[in-house]
Amino acid sequence: MTGRVTLVGGGPGAIDLLTVRAVRALAEADVVLVDRLAPHDGLAELAPQAEIVDVGKTPGHHAVPQHEIEAMLVRYAASGAHVVRLKGGDPYVLGRGGEEVLACHTAGIPVEVVPGVTSAIAVPASAGIPLTHRGVSHLFTVVSGHAPLSEEELAHLAGLGGTIVVLMGIATLPRLAAGLARHGLPAEHPIAVVERGFSPEQRTTVGTLADIVAIAGLARVASPAVVVVGEVVRLAHDGDAAAGELMARAAAMSVIA
Ligand code: SAH
């Protein structure tokens, strides 16, 4: 009998940010293929009958290549197993979930997707940064920094306003900051880098488009990290003068609007 695959969004790394549906899928799993940024601690208890296979990747080192992961999903499921593919964050946010679903469809394997808490929203939140705030920003864009953005993309992003969230953006941070400045964002536009969200080593580094590269260099910021560009970054300094002033200005503006 053919098994099935459940693609589960594991959230940003904390086991208690798994959804109830994710926990149920794990409890019924025969095999769990787990990513590096998915939660690991406590997995054995959540999936007591399962063989747990770590297919985690580190940047530049694909422990198990993507095509091999897809082949494994199909192979395990074809042998009758319920396979849980536990991914970091949400499977469909820069997570190659679509490719894995397609591989299952192609092989005739039933597949279901369980959404997860994406790091794009949750990691800034854990640093006190709301991606939207009435009167400050009413939109956010999530982009991959895996490859440098094109001039056209930079121009659109700079022109759009609102908050920009970059995943996999540490290596390309200098080009992002310079590119956004070149396309008209002010030098003092705030930017934050939040590393290792939801771990004891979580750290937030704040600067501006003009100085973030130097500051990040001194702090030796490293992946995994979420980069946030926008006025909302100022709100993270909860209680300090700049945040207070911005909040007050935003509140006044929303009264006028
Ligand atoms: N599908 C995932 C994103 C995969 S891309 C999601 O929805 O969250 C991997 C990138 O996500 C990392 O390079 C980093 O930018 C970000 N990321 C994931 N977990 C993180 C964490 N705990 N702390 C900081 N960044 C994280």
Side-chain angles (χ1 to χ4, degrees):
M1 201 182 78
T2 307
R4 62 197 168 101
V5 170
T6 310
L7 222 65
V8 173
I15 203 94
D16 54 354
L17 284 176
L18 284 169
T19 64
V20 173
R21 195 176 293 193
V23 169
R24 285 190 184 135
L26 286 166
E28 295 169 356
D30 300 311
V31 186
V32 181
L33 302 187
V34 57
D35 265 354
R36 187 174 64 93
L37 292 176
H40 284 75
D41 294 346
L43 250 193
E45 289 79 52
L46 289 175
Q49 303 136 32
E51 176 193 348
I52 295 174
V53 184
D54 193 341
V55 294
K57 307 162 205 153
T58 52
H61 302 272
H62 288 244
V64 180
Q66 182 66 27
H67 65 86
E68 178 55 27
I69 292 174
E70 289 163 21
M72 285 166 84
L73 289 176
V74 168
R75 208 163 52 232
Y76 278 116
S79 73
H82 174 213
V83 188
V84 166
R85 170 71 174 117
L86 187 63
K87 300 176 72 68
D90 183 90
Y92 282 166
V93 178
L94 303 175
R96 308 192 74 168
E99 292 161 63
E100 294 173 15
V101 166
L102 202 62
C104 292
H105 283 167
T106 306
I109 306 285
V111 57
E112 195 190 326
V113 178
V114 177
V117 173
T118 180
S119 67
I121 297 172
V123 170
S126 72
I129 305 172
L131 297 188
T132 67
H133 184 89
R134 197 171 160 82
V136 177
S137 169
H138 66 177
L139 67 99
F140 60 88
T141 310
V142 179
V143 294
S144 166
H146 182 65
L149 296 170
S150 68
E151 286 303 305
E152 199 184 9
E153 287 169 330
L154 287 164
H156 285 310
L157 279 177
L160 191 56
T163 309
I164 303 166
V165 181
V166 190
L167 302 187
M168 300 177 275
I170 294 306
T172 53
L173 182 62
R175 295 177 70 165
L176 177 82
L180 290 174
R182 199 163 57 245
H183 287 281
L185 285 187
E188 64 277 9
H189 204 62
I191 177 162
V193 182
V194 188
E195 297 167 85
R196 301 181 293 272
F198 298 95
S199 79
E201 292 84 39
Q202 178 169 329
R203 178 174 70 161
T204 307
T205 305
V206 178
T208 64
L209 283 188
D211 63 19
I212 190 65
V213 173
I215 293 173
L218 281 174
R220 297 182 189 279
V221 301
S223 275
V226 175
V227 177
V228 186
V229 186
E231 294 292 338
V232 290
V233 165
R234 298 191 207 275
L235 301 174
H237 305 280
D238 218 18
D240 83 7
E245 200 185 299
L246 181 64
M247 291 258 198
R249 225 176 339 123
M253 274 170 58
S254 50
V255 171
I256 296 163

